[in-house]
Amino acid sequence: MEKSPAAHPALNGRAILLAITAGISAYKSADLTSKLVQAGVNVQVVMTPEATKFVTPLTFESLSGKKVLIDPWNLDTPADPQHIGLTERADLMLIAPATANTLAKIAHGLCDDLVSLLACAAACPIAYAPAMNNRMWVNPITLRNVQILRDAGHHFIGPEDGWLACRNTGPGRMSEPTAILEQIARIISAKSTLV
C-alpha cells in the first residue's frame, strides 16, 4: 500500500525548489509535485525551455498553485532579476528529472538556463533524480560528473534499473515519486538535525 504524502512530517511547511529538465520522465515530476503539495510543501517549479516540450508549465502551475519560472531574464521580481533568492528561501533544490546534460553543466559551472544558474548559485542543499539512457548513465564522463557533484555535497536519488523510454532495459530510470519523497524527507531531516 502506498504511503500517504501527508505521512511525511519532515516535509510539512518546508519549501522545495523543484527543477524540471528535458526528459520524458518529466511526467513523473508532475505526480511528484502533487505529492509534495499534499505533504504540505511549498513548491516552486522552475523549468528549462526544453523541458516545456515534454510537459507544459500550465501542468505544474495547476499542481503547485504558483507561476512556473523558465527565463532567468524575466523581471517579475526586479530586486532579484535572475531569481537567485529562490535558493535562499528553499530547504532543498531538487532536480527531477536530471539529465546527463544538466549534470555536466552543473558539475562544470555552466549557467546557460535558469536551472543550471540556480544550482551553481544555490544557498540550499541540492538533490538530483537522474533519468537518461542506460549507456549515458554508465558513461565514464557522466560518472565523473556525478562524482564531482557528490564530492561537492550534492545528493543523488536513483536512478533505478528498468524499462527506459529508448526501449532499453538497465540503469537510468528515474525513481518513482514516492521513493523520491522518502529520500528528500531524509535529506531535509538530516539537515535539520545539523542546524
Side-chain angles (χ1 to χ4, degrees):
M1 184 170 143
E2 188 173 4
K3 185 184 273 190
S4 164
H8 294 284
L11 295 177
N12 189 34
R14 299 297 187 155
I16 291 182
L17 183 58
L18 178 58
I20 317 294
T21 67
I24 188 62
S25 295
Y27 79 91
K28 289 184 180 180
S29 300
D31 184 30
L32 177 60
T33 301
S34 177
K35 284 178 169 43
L36 287 167
V37 170
Q38 290 175 61
V41 176
N42 176 351
V43 181
Q44 174 60 65
V45 175
V46 297
M47 300 177 79
T48 62
E50 296 79 11
T52 66
K53 296 177 181 179
F54 288 93
V55 182
T56 68
L58 180 60
T59 299
F60 292 103
E61 288 173 357
S62 299
L63 293 168
S64 70
K66 291 191 175 119
K67 180 180 177 183
V68 169
L69 303 174
I70 301 165
D71 183 359
W73 307 111
N74 182 324
L75 298 181
D76 282 352
T77 311
D80 185 17
Q82 294 173 322
H83 308 294
I84 301 279
L86 289 172
T87 68
E88 295 167 4
R89 297 184 292 275
D91 293 291
L92 179 73
M93 179 176 182
L94 172 64
I95 303 175
T99 61
N101 181 57
T102 298
L103 296 175
K105 287 197 291 189
I106 297 168
H108 296 282
L110 301 176
C111 308
D112 64 353
D113 58 45
L114 184 57
V115 172
S116 56
L117 175 74
L118 288 169
C120 287
C124 63
I126 301 175
Y128 305 87
M132 62 195 75
N133 168 271
N134 56 305
R135 290 191 300 272
M136 293 172 80
W137 176 250
V138 299
N139 184 304
I141 295 168
T142 302
L143 296 177
R144 193 162 50 244
N145 291 334
V146 168
Q147 193 58 52
I148 288 168
L149 295 169
R150 282 190 169 130
D151 290 345
H154 298 201
H155 306 271
F156 281 80
I157 303 166
E160 312 301 331
D161 279 6
W163 177 258
L164 306 171
C166 58
R167 291 162 185 75
N168 286 352
T169 302
R173 183 179 175 84
M174 183 171 141
S175 296
E176 294 303 317
T178 304
I180 294 171
L181 206 64
E182 294 281 346
Q183 290 300 314
I184 61 176
R186 285 193 188 109
I187 293 166
I188 288 174
S189 293
K191 177 190 162 208
S192 298
T193 59
L194 296 174
V195 175

